[in-house]
Amino acid sequence: MGPIMKFQVVVLAGGMSKKLFPLVSKDVPKALLPVGNRPVLSYVLELLEANNLKDLIVVVAGEDAAVRVGGWITEAYDGRLHVEVAAVSEDIGTADALRAVLHRLVVDDVLVVSGDIVSDVPLGAIAAAHRRKRAVLTAMLCSSPSASTAEAISSTGKDKAKKPSPIDIVGLDTSHQHLLFLASGTQVDKDVKIRRSLIRVVDQMEIHMDLMDAHLYAFNRAILQEVLELCQGIKSIKQDLVPYLVRSQSKFGAIASGDTQTEAVGKTPNKDDSGQPQTPMQDIVPLPQHILPGVLHPASLELTCCVYIASEGKYCSRVNSIQTYGDINRDQVAGELVFLTGYTVSNQNNVIHPTAEIGSKTTVGPQCMVGDGSKLGDKCSVKKSIVGRHCRIGSNVKIINSVVMNHVTVEDGCLIQGSVICSNVHLQERANLKDCQVGAGYIITANSEHKAEALSKREKS
Amino acid sequence: MAQKKGSKQEVADDEIHVPLQAILMADSFAQKFRPITLERPKVLLPLVNVPMIDYTLEWLASAGVEEVFVFCCAHAKQVTTYLDRSNWRSQPNFAITIIESHDCLSIGDALRFIDQRNVVRGDFVLVSGDVVSNMPLTEVLRQHKERRKKDKLSVMTMVVKRSKLSPITHQSRLGNNELVLVIDPASKQLLYYDAGFEPANKDSSQRQIVKHVILDKSIVADRSAVQLCTDLQDCHIDICSPEVLMLFTDNFDYQRLRRDFVKGLLSDEVMGNKVYTYEIYRDYAARVDNLRAYDTISKDIIHRWTYPLVPDIQFGGNRGASKLDRCNVYKGPGIVISRTAKIGENTVLGEGTVIGENSVIVNSVIGRGCIIGNNAIVENSYVWNNVTIGDDARMKESVVCDGVVVKSGAVMEPGVVLSFKVVIGSDFTVPAYSKISLVAQPTEEGSSDEELECADTTSDAGESPPGSLPVELSTPNGASSEILMDSVAARQWDSSEVGNQGAGFKWIIKEGSQTEEWRHSVAPFPKELLEDILKRQIHYDNEDAIDSGAISGAESTPSTGLNDDDDVDDLDQDEQENDSSFFEREVEETFRRAVSETSGVQQDHVVLEVNALKLAYNLSFSDCAGAMFRAFLNLALEEPHTSSASGELLSNTTLVITKWAPLLKRFLKSEDDEVEVLLKFEEVCVEASKEFARLFVLILQLLYDKDLISEDAILSWAFEKKGADESDKVFVKQCEKFIQWLQEASEEEDQEEET
């Protein structure tokens, strides 16, 4: 703690993600969405705590959500972490959210983490790499889910026609340390355009399609503040800020490389002083140079963007869609990554809370979780699923590949497959759900059948 | 038993010995060594006193190639004669077959020609006769064959070598342009090849505009990673499958190996043929593509990077009689060096050369039988055989061919090339980058790149087998060359080009290819030029950064500007606008020509030309009509008129419209076109010449009277404008009465029809 890791952490916890509808609601903001029976935010917070990063600002979109998240954090982490919760208005970009807490940042480097990461990557290593390179930006990359979960999907044998999740296009130098190019995968359908001068600087550039931006960045505070204040146009960290920094870097890199350094440095400022019409762009671009000598190592006038690539065995993924929510719950957290949750695993390779009651002839398969106080009736079958706290589940119920949150009532003879059931849902007798998402408090009538639907109560607005 | 035999047979079939074949191109189909190559083929030019082809052949022989097909076209006779006289023909396990053709214009033609001959039986090495290498072929062949076993479509393996570009000129040490390769790091498959072929303008400032490498999505789509390299040098050594020849035959438009064939394969996804790369690290491979490469490779040979292809080891035409002294000085037998002469480092002195007192030779290659006078200085230069350099002559970074005479006191500035038997008069200074030859510069240089090394009969007069042959040494200049000397002696040489009693034509460097000359010259870049480039580069980089830093503070919408898309869109728009204004200008010019043409009205011609323009700019008839009408108005505007009295302008306009109405009529094919004319008219009134604004109704009426604009068009124009802004309706309002009248008239008509 303290002097060694002088990092401030900004956790962007989001608010009501539209992508996760109907799972999130006013009562359950994204940050508190249960993953493996714990709020998703807890994974990040615990990861930070484990890495001795205890000075946090949690940015939540929406006042109500902020109150809820704040309440939960004080309850759960009181005394363990120093957390400030900041509320920003909804529907603003990530960079705007960051801008809103800019004035609270005081130490040299800032770690910006998305609140929906479930990971076991050593954050300390990222911070150290950032420091070592004196980088302006260090982005964490992990191997793209399209490679790792592709197997998982095919093994479950469904959703084969599912569109591959968007990947990132990442340009690195051959040492895999410098970030040279970053474009989000949604743009793959267009041609990839890369500046020649950029490649020239490094001679060889590798374009990776198998890496994914994990939305975990370390920034140099001074430059972050300057850039965000000057370029109000930057809305999103991933879409605008990071590419902007990456591009600026190449400018300086290009000049500072080779034996032209001294001359180049001498000449660029001249151009600025030459009284050219001041477009906003010119206002911005040369700026880092003036502040560079102050904040960076004086010998190197380079603005470097670095990457930290998570090593093979490490896990990192984001809960940013219903698909990933289901995947993370089922395949990872309850399965191979159960250690992240801190629960003890039984001999059957599942986690059943001691206070849970299981009826006779009921089987709970491997990679399952049953939360505390839940009751399962007789002759039930739970496979690759998570059952939350205080659920009441009748007899002859089958729960397969699903997530059932807290306080859910499931009556006899229900069949739940590949679905997500939010808190306080009531499934009446012999309801049959397949690939559905059921919003909080919904009541599913007896004998009804639903397939691939998103069901939710109409929000009173 | 029988079965056993059969299986044995199969094994034998598999292992049947296919001799390793190579195709050696003894014609580069390029002109970079002109004017030298007008008189002798490039492969026979001496590289450190040994013809280039000997390096290539020696390498092929040592690398285990058993059969070489030497293809020659330009100067085929010289190549054949040379090979016949050499001892290549008598090597065991090394067969040389000469394939001669006279009408091949490109390597594509050559390969098609060879394909017809049906001589290639298996994988072969395709190499140009100017490649110097010492790489073993075993590994690359093994890899190629292995890939072929798995995938028949992997037709070619290219050898590449790492070579850092100059940070300023973006040029490799071999003088090549920046080469961008995209390679799949796992399979080494080549995905993209961009050598900056044929920049539109050869000026380097233009070249740099190619700022981006654009990767097709198919390249990135299902690969986990690709590698973009700028530091790889194409060695021009290719391992090819026989399919390569077939592909050339199938695609008869393929001319060049790299530009057409490789690019063709890479962009063709249907056939799916693949090209792979093989990187060499410790071995040497380079192609003498231009004079800078000639310089670099010569130095490499002297520095023994190409071992065993070095001057003191015997190979091919090199008898290996040179002795290596300290500081990379190679001395051939029978040389005479004055005691006071200074032989500097990295120098090769050919057999029988005589060097006078106090002369200095540094970093140079001197051929056989040269005579260098007293107090001469030769620096970084290449002096071929039987050259005479007079007293006090100075020479720096120059190439001097066989039989040249440099008289005393002459000075060669950097980058000079003196072709065969040129004579430079005494005390004459040859300016930098001059090229002088006894052969006059061909006047028409039309499609210069597609031309041959050129084998026109006139220049073949100087054809004498290269002097590197030992036989040639005793009689350096055959009778034929004397005839040449006789014939040229009659001519009057321009003494301002070659000095007093000199001989030779100065070749004029083409406009715009100056930079190309610098890039490809033996001489290093002039310092001022480097500074200039550097300055420009900083400018570019700044622009670059500004361009690409697409986010501005003032921008309200979040910029996605990841790929500089905004930029591109802007550009497109600009282009479109430019296009249409260009179009209008051209239409107007066409029209003006018709106006000024006194000899009758050539309306048909105008129509034809405008139609052509329409097609060229991909526009419609309405655009033509609009542009034409604008041209009318401009013409009317040019006639003298006082700004106050609009009557004059009106009468001018009336005149023009009356006279040219039929022309405009040709473009008014439909109501829409007429509406377009009206809209254009409005535009002119608002933007360009406000004088017309007052006359709008009157001119409209005129157009109506002349049957140019129908009433339907006017009405639909008025109707269209109904919903427009107030400011847009100015003219409609002006014409209100007229329109009303029209409406009434039409109603009446309708009524009449009804009754």
Side-chain angles (χ1 to χ4, degrees):
Chain A
M1 191 166 178
I4 310 157
M5 278 296 165
K6 242 174 144 190
F7 264 88
Q8 250 177 322
V9 184
V10 176
V11 181
L12 301 174
M16 312 255 294
S17 168
K18 285 200 187 71
K19 278 192 204 155
L20 284 167
F21 178 84
L23 306 188
V24 293
S25 62
K26 271 192 182 142
D27 302 324
V28 186
K30 182 178 171 184
L32 299 184
L33 207 59
V35 171
N37 285 340
R38 285 169 31 172
V40 61
L41 189 60
S42 68
Y43 292 91
V44 170
L45 297 184
E46 255 152 55
L47 183 64
L48 290 167
E49 188 186 16
N51 284 282
N52 211 5
L53 295 158
K54 297 185 176 173
D55 192 8
L56 322 182
I57 300 173
V58 177
V59 185
V60 185
E63 293 286 345
D64 289 353
V67 171
R68 280 175 198 283
V69 174
W72 171 74
I73 291 174
T74 11
E75 197 183 307
Y77 293 93
D78 191 29
R80 288 158 71 190
L81 295 170
H82 175 245
V83 182
E84 285 177 71
V85 177
V88 294
S89 65
E90 290 179 52
D91 300 326
I92 63 169
T94 46
D96 289 324
L98 192 55
R99 198 176 277 131
V101 296
L102 215 52
H103 59 278
R104 300 202 200 180
L105 303 175
V106 283
V107 301
D108 289 347
D109 295 288
V110 181
L111 196 66
V112 178
V113 192
S114 177
D116 54 8
I117 291 178
V118 177
S119 174
D120 59 345
V121 177
L123 298 181
I126 300 166
H130 180 70
R131 278 285 165 75
R132 195 169 56 239
K133 300 273 162 48
R134 295 190 173 88
V136 163
L137 159 72
T138 303
M140 188 182 104
L141 303 175
C142 52
S143 46
S144 174
S146 58
S148 58
T149 57
E151 295 152 31
I153 290 163
S154 59
S155 68
T156 54
K158 19 167 233 173
D159 290 337
K160 268 188 183 153
K162 182 184 74 94
K163 270 202 293 182
S165 50
I167 47 154
D168 292 319
I169 298 178
V170 184
L172 302 176
D173 72 337
T174 39
S175 67
H176 292 208
Q177 287 180 337
H178 293 269
L179 181 61
L180 304 169
F181 180 83
L182 182 67
S184 97
T186 42
Q187 284 154 324
V188 190
D189 49 326
K190 283 182 260 163
D191 294 344
V192 182
K193 209 168 138 195
I194 291 155
R195 294 211 340 263
R196 269 166 177 257
S197 56
L198 193 69
I199 315 171
R200 259 178 223 143
V201 176
V202 289
D203 292 335
Q204 292 203 353
M205 173 169 170
E206 285 177 16
I207 306 275
H208 283 269
M209 274 68 68
D210 55 352
L211 293 173
M212 187 187 73
D213 177 11
H215 287 243
L216 196 157
Y217 314 97
F219 289 102
N220 177 298
R221 180 193 45 97
I223 290 185
L224 180 70
Q225 282 176 334
E226 294 281 355
V227 169
L228 282 183
E229 268 164 28
L230 270 154
C231 314
Q232 293 294 328
I234 292 179
K235 300 282 180 210
S236 148
I237 294 180
K238 163 107 197 251
Q239 306 270 313
D240 304 326
L241 179 62
V242 173
Y244 176 79
L245 288 174
V246 168
R247 275 194 304 257
S248 312
Q249 135 190 277
S250 68
K251 182 204 166 193
F252 294 102
I255 290 174
S257 77
D259 45 10
T260 67
Q261 189 166 8
T262 44
E263 250 182 288
V265 171
K267 265 170 193 164
T268 333
N270 287 349
K271 187 189 161 272
D272 297 339
D273 299 341
S274 62
Q276 291 188 356
Q278 290 266 308
T279 65
M281 250 354 277
Q282 276 166 326
D283 253 358
I284 295 156
V285 172
L287 183 113
Q289 201 168 31
H290 303 315
I291 55 172
L292 272 174
V295 283
L296 292 182
H297 194 260
S300 74
L301 273 170
E302 284 182 60
L303 200 122
T304 47
C305 295
C306 296
V307 292
Y308 177 88
I309 300 176
S311 46
E312 282 291 307
K314 294 297 178 188
Y315 176 76
C316 181
S317 68
R318 296 181 62 211
V319 182
N320 55 1
S321 70
I322 291 186
Q323 175 70 35
T324 50
Y325 178 74
D327 287 349
I328 290 171
N329 269 300
R330 281 191 296 271
D331 301 328
Q332 273 94 30
V333 176
E336 56 204 274
L337 289 163
V338 75
F339 64 91
L340 282 177
T341 59
Y343 298 132
T344 39
V345 186
S346 75
N347 289 341
Q348 283 81 40
N349 196 17
N350 55 18
V351 179
I352 298 173
H353 199 272
T355 57
E357 290 173 36
I358 309 253
S360 66
K361 290 191 179 170
T362 286
T363 54
V364 179
Q367 298 194 16
C368 285
M369 273 187 196
V370 180
D372 52 320
S374 284
K375 271 186 192 161
L376 276 78
D378 299 340
K379 292 184 186 167
C380 289
S381 165
V382 180
K383 284 181 191 162
K384 291 197 85 176
S385 296
I386 292 175
V387 177
R389 297 189 174 89
H390 306 290
C391 292
R392 293 283 170 274
I393 290 170
S395 301
N396 277 319
V397 174
K398 280 188 179 160
I399 303 175
I400 301 160
N401 282 324
S402 298
V403 180
V404 177
M405 292 186 195
N406 306 327
H407 304 285
V408 174
T409 310
V410 181
E411 291 185 10
D412 294 356
C414 286
L415 175 60
I416 304 169
Q417 287 183 75
S419 300
V420 180
I421 315 288
C422 289
S423 301
N424 300 317
V425 168
H426 189 148
L427 273 78
Q428 290 173 346
E429 286 180 349
R430 286 179 295 284
N432 187 343
L433 295 179
K434 197 169 182 210
D435 302 331
C436 290
Q437 294 86 42
V438 186
Y442 196 82
I443 295 167
I444 290 175
T445 49
N447 293 317
S448 60
E449 255 185 56
H450 296 280
K451 208 171 171 192
E453 285 177 72
L455 308 162
S456 77
K457 280 203 290 194
R458 254 191 219 113
E459 300 231 346
K460 291 157 220 155
S461 54
Chain B
M1 187 71 191
Q3 224 178 358
K4 227 177 193 175
K5 210 175 179 184
S7 64
K8 223 175 194 175
Q9 191 70 43
E10 262 180 38
V11 171
D13 265 356
D14 265 1
E15 286 173 357
I16 201 160
H17 180 72
V18 180
L20 181 57
Q21 295 176 311
I23 295 178
L24 187 150
M25 288 290 156
D27 192 334
S28 63
F29 299 107
Q31 298 189 323
K32 294 202 174 112
F33 272 74
R34 277 191 167 193
I36 304 172
T37 46
L38 278 181
E39 293 167 70
R40 188 182 290 178
K42 188 167 141 195
V43 289
L44 296 185
L45 302 184
L47 183 70
V48 193
N49 293 338
V50 179
M52 292 184 201
I53 197 168
D54 280 339
Y55 288 94
T56 317
L57 286 173
E58 176 64 32
W59 163 61
L60 289 174
S62 66
V65 174
E66 288 151 279
E67 194 172 8
V68 179
F69 299 98
V70 177
F71 177 86
C72 32
C73 184
H75 303 291
K77 196 130 186 286
Q78 287 191 42
V79 179
T80 322
T81 321
Y82 177 73
L83 288 178
D84 285 344
R85 287 203 195 166
S86 71
N87 47 9
W88 286 115
R89 286 298 180 95
S90 53
Q91 296 282 333
N93 290 330
F94 191 65
I96 290 185
T97 313
I98 293 175
I99 297 178
E100 211 174 301
S101 158
H102 291 287
D103 49 1
C104 289
L105 292 169
S106 67
I107 194 163
D109 291 341
L111 291 177
R112 281 184 277 275
F113 188 79
I114 293 168
D115 190 32
Q116 281 170 16
R117 293 289 204 85
N118 242 339
V119 286
V120 173
R121 279 167 289 173
D123 293 340
F124 63 96
V125 183
L126 178 59
V127 71
S128 167
D130 47 13
V131 167
V132 178
S133 175
N134 59 5
M135 69 173 283
L137 288 172
T138 342
E139 178 60 19
V140 61
L141 277 168
R142 190 187 62 77
Q143 284 189 11
H144 181 77
K145 290 215 161 87
E146 217 156 76
R147 270 195 292 268
R148 284 276 291 165
K149 253 182 217 162
K150 284 186 214 136
D151 183 0
K152 279 282 169 204
L153 292 172
S154 28
V155 292
M156 188 163 131
T157 304
M158 264 168 57
V159 177
V160 294
K161 186 175 170 66
R162 195 156 291 197
S163 145
K164 181 121 174 97
L165 296 179
S166 147
I168 302 171
T169 56
H170 303 313
Q171 182 187 35
S172 71
R173 56 196 290 274
L174 293 179
N176 294 324
N177 291 341
E178 181 179 72
L179 173 69
V180 179
L181 297 180
V182 177
I183 296 170
D184 184 324
S187 67
K188 300 289 174 206
Q189 189 188 342
L190 182 71
L191 306 169
Y192 179 90
Y193 185 101
D194 185 0
F197 294 119
E198 303 302 308
N201 187 328
K202 288 190 175 171
D203 194 51
S204 70
S205 65
Q206 300 280 320
R207 191 199 313 274
Q208 293 188 353
I209 287 178
V210 189
K211 274 191 220 156
H212 293 97
V213 173
I214 295 169
L215 299 185
D216 193 78
K217 63 168 183 221
S218 63
I219 292 179
V220 230
D222 29 67
R223 249 170 264 276
S224 66
V226 295
Q227 204 164 6
L228 274 74
C229 314
T230 55
D231 59 346
L232 289 180
Q233 179 83 50
D234 187 350
C235 298
H236 295 273
I237 296 170
D238 303 316
I239 313 298
C240 302
S241 305
E243 282 87 348
V244 169
L245 294 180
M246 276 150 60
L247 281 166
F248 265 101
T249 307
D250 291 347
N251 299 281
F252 49 83
D253 55 329
Y254 283 173
Q255 297 298 327
R256 299 214 178 159
L257 193 59
R258 293 290 181 256
R259 188 171 59 177
D260 300 324
F261 178 72
V262 172
K263 280 212 147 181
L265 287 198
L266 294 181
S267 58
D268 178 16
E269 283 163 39
V270 183
M271 301 290 290
N273 288 310
K274 297 182 189 102
V275 181
Y276 288 85
T277 57
Y278 174 80
E279 192 173 342
I280 52 171
Y281 298 94
R282 292 175 53 202
D283 304 313
Y284 191 86
R287 180 183 179 196
V288 185
D289 183 55
N290 50 56
L291 281 169
R292 186 176 293 276
Y294 179 85
D295 175 51
T296 311
I297 294 170
S298 297
K299 294 272 151 64
D300 289 341
I301 293 171
I302 294 170
H303 285 119
R304 307 178 79 79
W305 289 106
T306 58
Y307 188 86
L309 306 180
V310 289
D312 56 335
I313 291 183
Q314 190 222 329
F315 65 91
N318 184 22
R319 286 182 299 164
S322 300
K323 271 200 311 202
L324 174 62
D325 281 5
R326 263 177 306 181
C327 296
N328 287 328
V329 174
Y330 299 82
K331 288 177 182 164
I335 57 173
V336 181
I337 303 173
S338 150
R339 191 183 284 269
T340 50
K342 185 177 165 253
I343 308 298
E345 53 188 13
N346 305 324
T347 297
V348 177
L349 302 176
E351 198 173 333
T353 287
V354 179
I355 294 164
E357 280 170 28
N358 293 320
S359 287
V360 180
I361 318 276
V362 188
N363 287 321
S364 298
V365 176
I366 311 289
R368 298 184 180 82
C370 292
I371 298 162
I372 294 172
N374 303 329
N375 298 317
I377 300 174
V378 178
E379 270 179 88
N380 292 317
S381 295
Y382 298 88
V383 176
W384 296 0
N385 302 324
N386 306 315
V387 173
T388 309
I389 295 174
D391 299 347
D392 302 310
R394 275 184 292 137
M395 189 179 286
K396 205 178 174 189
E397 283 134 15
S398 301
V399 175
V400 175
C401 298
D402 291 6
V404 167
V405 177
V406 175
K407 296 202 172 159
S408 55
V411 177
M412 315 289 122
E413 287 185 351
V416 166
V417 175
L418 302 180
S419 188
F420 298 94
K421 300 187 186 68
V422 163
V423 180
I424 298 297
S426 48
D427 298 321
F428 182 75
T429 300
V430 184
Y433 300 103
S434 306
K435 291 183 174 176
I436 295 172
S437 168
L438 287 190
V439 183
Q441 190 167 18
T443 41
E444 37 78 49
E445 293 263 327
S447 53
S448 57
D449 271 326
E450 305 305 328
E451 263 179 59
L452 279 177
E453 237 174 53
C454 192
D456 30 341
T457 42
T458 51
S459 62
D460 265 356
E463 189 166 316
S464 62
S468 52
L469 278 178
V471 206
E472 284 299 306
L473 243 164
S474 45
T475 53
N477 297 321
S480 65
S481 55
E482 267 165 37
I483 293 166
L484 177 88
M485 289 310 281
D486 283 349
S487 69
V488 295
R491 291 195 207 149
Q492 215 42 8
W493 303 109
D494 188 348
S495 64
S496 69
E497 284 178 355
V498 287
N500 254 341
Q501 295 176 324
F505 293 107
K506 182 174 176 182
W507 280 39
I508 297 146
I509 295 169
K510 266 179 289 168
E511 196 66 35
S513 62
Q514 189 72 47
T515 330
E516 204 73 356
E517 289 296 327
W518 282 326
R519 293 178 88 85
H520 290 160
S521 167
V522 174
F525 269 77
K527 211 174 168 203
E528 320 80 76
L529 193 71
L530 280 183
E531 275 166 14
D532 185 47
I533 292 175
L534 196 66
K535 248 185 246 165
R536 204 158 25 188
Q537 196 176 335
I538 288 165
H539 178 70
Y540 268 107
D541 284 342
N542 280 337
E543 261 184 17
D544 245 28
I546 290 168
D547 273 10
S548 51
I551 301 156
S552 73
E555 235 173 337
S556 54
T557 50
S559 158
T560 51
L562 283 171
N563 286 348
D564 308 344
D565 288 332
D566 301 351
D567 247 19
V568 178
D569 288 348
D570 284 354
L571 212 95
D572 281 356
Q573 234 168 32
D574 278 1
E575 249 167 40
Q576 268 174 12
E577 271 167 30
N578 276 341
D579 256 17
S580 62
S581 70
F582 276 135
F583 170 74
E584 281 186 5
R585 213 174 307 150
E586 289 206 40
V587 168
E588 185 162 349
E589 277 165 17
T590 312
F591 174 64
R592 287 300 169 89
R593 275 199 294 279
V595 172
S596 58
E597 241 171 72
T598 45
S599 60
V601 189
Q602 302 275 331
Q603 282 199 7
D604 285 344
H605 291 185
V606 179
V607 173
L608 211 63
E609 275 185 46
V610 173
N611 273 338
L613 286 174
K614 170 181 136 292
L615 291 175
Y617 286 89
N618 195 15
L619 295 169
S620 62
F621 273 114
S622 51
D623 293 308
C624 298
M628 187 61 80
F629 188 66
R630 188 174 198 147
F632 284 12
L633 293 180
N634 286 347
L635 181 67
L637 208 59
E638 266 178 32
E639 300 285 320
H641 65 271
T642 50
S643 56
S644 56
S646 49
E648 276 176 69
L649 183 61
L650 180 63
S651 61
N652 286 341
T653 315
T654 317
L655 270 177
V656 172
I657 291 180
T658 320
K659 186 170 176 200
W660 297 100
L663 182 61
L664 185 58
K665 191 85 189 155
R666 300 285 284 270
F667 295 104
L668 297 174
K669 305 271 183 203
S670 70
E671 194 184 295
D672 287 343
D673 302 340
E674 294 167 20
V675 174
E676 175 68 27
V677 169
L678 287 177
L679 292 174
K680 185 60 85 180
F681 187 20
E682 265 191 304
E683 194 187 308
V684 173
C685 289
V686 174
E687 285 163 13
S689 26
K690 303 221 161 46
E691 291 105 312
F692 284 113
R694 282 171 291 172
L695 305 174
F696 192 88
V697 195
L698 298 169
I699 294 174
L700 184 64
Q701 221 159 355
L702 179 73
L703 290 172
Y704 175 73
D705 290 342
K706 293 276 172 222
D707 264 348
L708 286 172
I709 306 284
S710 67
E711 69 180 67
D712 288 343
I714 297 174
L715 290 178
S716 71
W717 166 69
F719 183 75
E720 232 174 70
K721 286 274 163 174
K722 237 172 208 167
D725 285 350
E726 278 308 306
S727 56
D728 271 0
K729 287 208 252 181
V730 177
F731 297 104
V732 182
K733 279 196 174 148
Q734 221 183 66
C735 310
E736 214 162 359
K737 276 188 184 163
F738 180 61
I739 291 166
Q740 214 174 349
W741 176 77
L742 280 178
Q743 269 168 343
E744 278 164 14
S746 69
E747 272 163 28
E748 268 168 39
E749 248 173 53
D750 288 352
Q751 278 166 5
E752 270 168 34
E753 269 169 28
E754 273 168 35
T755 55

